[in-house]
Amino acid sequence: MAKASSRPGRRKNNRRKKRSLKASLLRWLVIGCVVLVILCIPLLLWLDYRVAQQLDAHHWTIPAKVFARPLELFVGSAIARKDVLHELKLLGYQAGNGDEPGSYRIRGGQLQLHTRGFLFGDGRETARAALLDWHDGRVSSVRSGGQSVDLLRLEPLQIGGIYPGHNEDRLLVALEDAPKGMLEALLAVEDRGFYEHFGLSLRGIARAMWVNIRQGRFVQGGSTITQQLVKNLFLSQERSLARKLPELPMAILLERRASKDQILRMFLNEVFLAQDGGRAIHGFGLASQYFFNQPLNELLPHQYALLIGMIKGPSYYSPIRYPKRTLKRRNLVLTVMAEHGIMQPAEADYAKQLPLGLNTQTASTARQPAYLDLVRRQLAVDYRLEDLQSEGLRIFTNFNPLVQRAAEHSLSLAFADIDKRPARTEATDFKPAELEAAMLVSDAATGEVVALIGGRRPRYAGFNRALDARRPVGSLIKPAIYLSALELPDRYTLASRINDERFALPQPDGSVWSPDNFDQQSHGPVMLLDALSHSYNQASAALGLELGVDRVRQTLRELGLEGDIPELPSVFLGAIELSLYDVATMYQTLSSGGFNTPLRAIREILDANGQAIKHYGLDIEQRIAPDSLHLILFALQEAMRNGTGRSAYHFIPKNLAVAGKTGTSNGQRDSWFAGFGGDYLAVAWMGNDDYQTTSLTGSSGALRAWAYLFREIGARSLDFVPPPGIEYAWTDEQTGKRSQENCQSALYLPYIAGTEPLQFAPCSDRSRRVPNWFRWFLGEKP
């Protein structure tokens, strides 16, 4: 009985001990939680401080954006409709009804479009619908709202940017910039409870934990949009528990510090969506431009569904690398949109049938590494690199996409012609694959650089041959010799006779300098006009020696050439290495009326708020007297009509008055041409980087590319009006004396007043050669 009565007591003591143990564990658990909270308070305070500090000081580093010139349309504009359409496509305009911003349509011979508007330095250009008409290749009517418009200005094409060290690029947008349905679709896919939760989704966290446990590794995060923003702004991108733990409290703290709309706006601008070479594409605004070449507010559901779908994995769902996978993901987003009533099921089914519609062609067209290189160099004079990389400056340039396209096409045509030539077996013969090229096009009057090509493949960044390749220029230097002579009118005129014969000139080192003509022939006494137009080496060297090296060097300085100029007579034949940019600087002085006009890539710079902070105006200085300039331009036109440049007229109109000069270096290693009309100057070069021979002369290589360019852009004739102090007189080309007009050997030549020949020569029986390009001066039709 005693044993039986003790069993209830033992059970009672066991229960008492268990209750005591539970109470003890609970006390320790409470104490532990209190201690943990106390220990976490400093951490939470530090995290809260970090979040608050980041929000208060948050400032995205916005790279400087570089824009082309805006296309300006007005009555009388000499631009074809096809060129306007090309620019609209570059800007991402879509063929449609022409009633919505960023759309256009063709109505018979008319073009209906709706501009997007843009903030320029002189004010905002508002978006508006317009109707344009053409007649004889010119804009004949510009109307908007039923009224005539003096000027219609399109937004400029962005051709690049200057990026910070981390290479992040973005285009900031507001929530109002999102197209209808996009924000709802984003939340339906990424965070359905965004406006209800406090920064975390407990259901999402539980689902992610279950998936991670089943997989045995960290594969899913269950993150809300707030958490994703925290990860992007404050933490790394790695998937680990160590990164995930601080993310949770920071998301809650971020929700306490910022409104839901603020968080959503920051997410739209921060999320990473693509990699473009070394540039990281952040935010929906820039991704819209990058993938579709359209502003965000113009995207259609199937387009923004693609961007939303990429958030899950920008590399995995890259539409460029994995189009099929990305298309499946986009269609899943469209299905979710239909399920949530964002769009009708029939609309979603239609959208699923549409292609991805990436605008990769225009994205590559807008990339202009050579021109951007020039922009950076000219900006470096006035700005620190840090400001250009982070302050959101807007740089407006003189870049003309239409001229750039024509320049690239002209080089392609010239290379195609060269590649068609019969192959030769000489070991020194050039190989077309090795041949390189460069070209610069500027406004003939102002020096504004409108196009630049740094190599045979214009889209590839690298060695910029237009700026950095220094090559022998050959006969391109000769106009400086003849200009030096014509500036001495008491000694030289275009009719002066100079001797084109071989000679030998001993040099200080014991060698002998004895130049030859390209055709290995001597031509005896020739007019100064013919010596230049036919590019006779012997006559040019003899004239240079008469003038002296120092005088020719001084003329080269007047033409704008800087740097070292050899004090050797070989410089008369182009034994000097210059960049294409240097050559363009020289010929710019000739094309702009004798004014030294520095080549300019930049027009204006605005700050991030659209306020003008610097305007790059004309900086000119008269270097060449108008009368001397008129004579040298006459000779350079003669070079095009009857001299080394005459083959250009196989391509350009016969009535187009242009001036120019070919250049060929020793061994035919370099093919050059520089020439201009009334609107543009262009300099072209072809050669091999390793200095191998090209078997090209200036006229068979570079001139051909130049001629194709001037044909394609519809260049305007040189405005060649005699200035005060110039008199024209009939001159006998055999003797340089005065001639009767009806003599067969009579030429009508310009002279500085008082220097024209007085003594008459008898008429010779040599055929008359009146330059065709100057018949307009005689009142005849060309």
Side-chain angles (χ1 to χ4, degrees):
M1 290 293 293
K3 289 181 179 179
S5 63
S6 67
R7 288 173 186 168
R10 284 199 297 271
R11 286 198 294 270
K12 189 175 181 179
N13 289 335
N14 288 338
R15 287 196 296 271
R16 188 179 296 113
K17 289 179 180 179
K18 288 180 179 180
R19 285 197 298 271
S20 176
L21 180 61
K22 289 180 180 179
S24 177
L25 289 174
L26 183 59
R27 283 196 301 272
W28 282 110
L29 181 61
V30 170
I31 292 171
C33 288
V34 171
V35 171
L36 183 61
V37 169
I38 293 172
L39 292 176
C40 285
I41 286 176
L43 177 61
L44 291 173
L45 290 175
W46 179 77
L47 292 177
D48 185 53
Y49 169 77
R50 187 177 172 190
V51 169
Q53 186 182 47
Q54 179 72 11
L55 286 178
D56 291 340
H58 184 68
H59 175 69
W60 276 297
T61 54
I62 308 299
K65 298 290 191 292
V66 183
F67 295 95
R69 63 90 185 95
L71 180 59
E72 297 179 339
L73 299 169
F74 51 88
V75 174
S77 299
I79 183 171
R81 189 180 68 176
K82 66 178 180 63
D83 290 330
V84 176
L85 289 173
H86 176 73
E87 184 125 358
L88 290 177
K89 291 175 182 177
L90 287 179
L91 292 168
Y93 279 61
Q94 303 297 307
N97 56 19
D99 294 329
E100 299 292 332
S103 68
Y104 71 92
R105 71 167 173 165
I106 298 172
R107 295 171 45 185
Q110 297 178 318
L111 174 63
Q112 181 178 339
L113 60 90
H114 199 301
T115 65
R116 296 186 176 119
F118 193 83
L119 181 59
F120 292 97
D122 57 359
R124 178 171 292 280
E125 186 82 15
T126 58
R128 55 178 167 173
L131 189 65
L132 291 88
D133 209 344
W134 274 262
H135 181 69
D136 288 339
R138 291 181 177 269
V139 177
S140 60
S141 173
V142 182
R143 301 181 67 82
S144 179
Q147 302 293 322
S148 295
V149 175
D150 293 332
L151 177 67
L152 182 69
R153 185 164 52 170
L154 301 182
E155 69 273 21
L157 174 71
Q158 184 182 333
I159 60 173
I162 301 175
Y163 307 111
H166 51 63
N167 281 335
E168 288 185 9
D169 193 12
R170 55 177 51 82
L171 181 62
L172 297 183
V173 295
L175 296 184
E176 301 80 49
D177 296 323
K180 182 181 178 181
M182 194 197 87
L183 296 180
E184 293 83 350
L186 173 64
L187 296 181
V189 173
E190 288 295 320
D191 192 351
R192 298 175 187 176
F194 175 73
Y195 280 101
E196 286 76 38
H197 63 60
F198 54 90
L200 307 178
S201 171
L202 299 181
R203 179 181 299 177
I205 292 175
R207 182 180 65 250
M209 289 181 62
W210 174 246
V211 171
N212 294 335
I213 290 172
R214 291 184 61 185
Q215 294 289 328
R217 56 194 178 93
F218 202 87
V219 297
Q220 194 176 105
S223 298
T224 63
I225 280 180
T226 309
Q227 288 175 264
Q228 292 182 56
L229 182 60
V230 166
K231 176 181 65 177
N232 290 333
L233 287 180
F234 306 108
L235 305 172
S236 69
Q237 298 295 314
E238 66 172 322
R239 290 190 171 187
S240 67
L241 189 61
R243 196 272 298 161
K244 194 72 177 177
L245 287 177
E247 177 187 297
L248 303 180
M250 292 182 81
I252 298 173
L253 294 170
L254 179 59
E255 291 265 354
R256 191 175 72 87
R257 292 281 183 178
S259 69
K260 290 287 188 180
D261 284 352
Q262 286 177 313
I263 292 172
L264 188 57
R265 182 184 65 84
M266 293 174 71
F267 179 81
L268 286 180
N269 290 297
E270 180 62 34
V271 61
F272 170 72
L273 287 170
Q275 191 72 32
D276 177 29
R279 178 176 67 139
I281 306 297
H282 283 258
F284 277 75
L286 185 60
S288 173
Q289 292 283 359
Y290 178 69
F291 287 113
F292 304 111
N293 200 27
Q294 290 178 258
L296 182 62
N297 62 357
E298 292 181 11
L299 294 192
L300 298 175
H302 72 283
Q303 294 173 311
Y304 63 69
L306 170 66
L307 301 183
I308 292 171
M310 292 176 61
I311 295 175
K312 185 176 182 180
S315 298
Y316 188 78
Y317 292 111
S318 167
I320 297 174
R321 298 178 61 191
Y322 309 112
K324 292 182 179 179
R325 180 190 298 169
T326 307
L327 182 66
K328 185 176 179 181
R329 174 68 178 168
R330 184 205 68 178
N331 290 347
L332 176 61
V333 174
L334 291 170
T335 299
V336 172
M337 292 170 63
E339 291 173 349
H340 284 75
I342 301 170
M343 63 190 308
Q344 295 299 318
E347 294 174 334
D349 290 339
Y350 172 76
K352 291 176 185 178
Q353 304 307 312
L354 297 174
L356 295 177
L358 304 180
N359 208 332
T360 55
Q361 180 178 358
T362 55
S364 65
T365 302
R367 186 178 293 116
Q368 300 295 338
Y371 197 94
L372 286 175
D373 187 15
L374 175 60
V375 170
R376 289 189 186 95
R377 297 186 195 203
Q378 294 189 350
L379 285 171
V381 177
D382 299 310
Y383 294 91
R384 299 182 309 157
L385 182 60
E386 294 81 2
D387 295 334
L388 297 172
Q389 292 174 334
S390 62
E391 296 303 317
L393 300 179
R394 304 166 72 198
I395 301 163
F396 294 87
T397 72
N398 298 305
F399 180 81
N400 187 322
L402 301 178
V403 177
Q404 179 74 22
R405 178 185 62 161
E408 294 174 7
H409 188 226
S410 70
L411 280 176
S412 298
L413 292 174
F415 278 124
D417 290 347
I418 292 169
D419 292 344
K420 291 176 185 175
R421 295 185 175 193
R424 294 173 61 184
T425 58
E426 288 92 336
T428 58
D429 194 32
F430 78 98
K431 304 176 182 62
E434 298 173 349
L435 197 62
E436 271 294 348
M439 183 180 282
L440 183 149
V441 188
S442 65
D443 185 293
T446 66
E448 296 175 343
V449 180
V450 298
L452 189 69
I453 298 175
R456 186 166 184 169
R457 296 169 182 80
R459 297 290 171 269
Y460 288 87
F463 184 51
N464 193 338
R465 294 166 185 83
L467 304 183
D468 296 324
R470 303 187 66 82
R471 309 283 298 214
V473 297
S475 296
L476 286 183
I477 211 76
K478 288 177 181 174
I481 306 172
Y482 291 84
L483 178 59
S484 299
L486 294 171
E487 289 180 324
L488 303 172
D490 56 332
R491 293 175 58 187
Y492 300 98
T493 70
L494 289 176
S496 296
R497 316 293 284 182
I498 50 179
N499 206 22
D500 185 59
E501 296 287 354
R502 292 200 64 177
F503 64 87
L505 181 68
Q507 297 297 294
D509 61 359
S511 63
V512 176
W513 185 58
S514 181
D516 285 318
N517 287 328
F518 183 79
D519 61 2
Q520 303 297 310
Q521 300 294 319
S522 298
H523 305 91
V526 295
M527 284 197 305
L528 187 148
L529 173 67
D530 288 336
L532 175 57
S533 64
H534 293 286
S535 200
Y536 294 150
N537 288 338
Q538 295 170 166
S540 299
L543 178 61
L545 290 172
E546 285 184 19
L547 295 166
V549 174
D550 288 342
R551 180 162 186 84
V552 175
R553 292 175 74 243
Q554 178 184 346
T555 301
L556 288 171
R557 297 291 187 206
E558 291 173 351
L559 290 172
L561 189 60
E562 299 178 350
D564 182 51
I565 301 175
E567 298 183 42
L568 299 171
S570 58
V571 77
F572 301 147
L573 303 184
I576 176 176
E577 294 187 347
L578 301 177
S579 71
L580 184 142
Y581 189 86
D582 293 332
V583 173
T585 297
M586 289 174 49
Y587 279 80
Q588 186 69 50
T589 304
L590 297 176
S591 72
S592 60
F595 290 91
N596 178 246
T597 309
L599 297 172
R600 295 178 297 120
I602 307 168
R603 287 186 176 185
E604 186 177 35
I605 299 178
L606 307 184
D607 64 17
N609 299 316
Q611 298 297 313
I613 57 178
K614 187 171 180 61
H615 180 77
Y616 289 76
L618 280 174
D619 181 15
I620 62 175
E621 178 187 356
Q622 181 81 49
R623 295 283 185 86
I624 309 300
D627 49 8
S628 302
L629 179 70
H630 188 82
L631 301 184
I632 197 68
L633 293 188
F634 186 99
L636 292 176
Q637 289 179 83
E638 174 70 4
M640 298 301 294
R641 288 293 180 179
N642 298 305
T644 56
R646 62 187 179 275
S647 63
Y649 284 96
H650 296 318
F651 308 97
I652 61 177
K654 297 296 187 291
N655 61 351
L656 182 65
V658 292
K661 186 70 189 73
T662 56
T664 309
S665 65
N666 283 343
Q668 295 178 253
R669 293 177 174 84
D670 300 273
S671 171
W672 288 92
F673 186 77
F676 50 91
D679 43 9
Y680 292 114
L681 158 74
V683 181
W685 167 85
M686 288 183 174
N688 293 312
D689 288 339
D690 60 3
Y691 283 85
Q692 287 187 32
T693 182
T694 66
S695 294
L696 296 172
T697 63
S699 58
S700 64
L703 170 62
R704 187 167 292 238
W706 180 94
Y708 278 131
L709 169 67
F710 270 50
R711 182 183 70 181
E712 188 158 337
I713 62 178
R716 182 168 55 84
S717 282
L718 192 64
D719 187 14
F720 193 59
V721 178
I726 289 292
E727 299 289 344
Y728 274 76
W730 289 99
T731 307
D732 179 66
E733 69 170 308
Q734 298 298 305
T735 64
K737 296 179 180 180
R738 197 72 171 259
S739 174
Q740 299 294 334
E741 178 181 350
N742 58 357
C743 292
Q744 291 189 5
S745 61
L747 293 176
Y748 202 52
L749 299 183
Y751 295 87
I752 294 177
T755 65
E756 59 269 31
L758 300 178
Q759 183 179 2
F760 280 82
C763 288
S764 70
D765 57 359
R766 183 164 179 175
S767 61
R768 178 182 177 189
R769 181 188 62 166
V770 177
N772 293 332
W773 53 269
F774 206 67
R775 283 185 178 168
W776 65 267
F777 187 80
L778 306 177
E780 303 177 21
K781 291 183 178 180

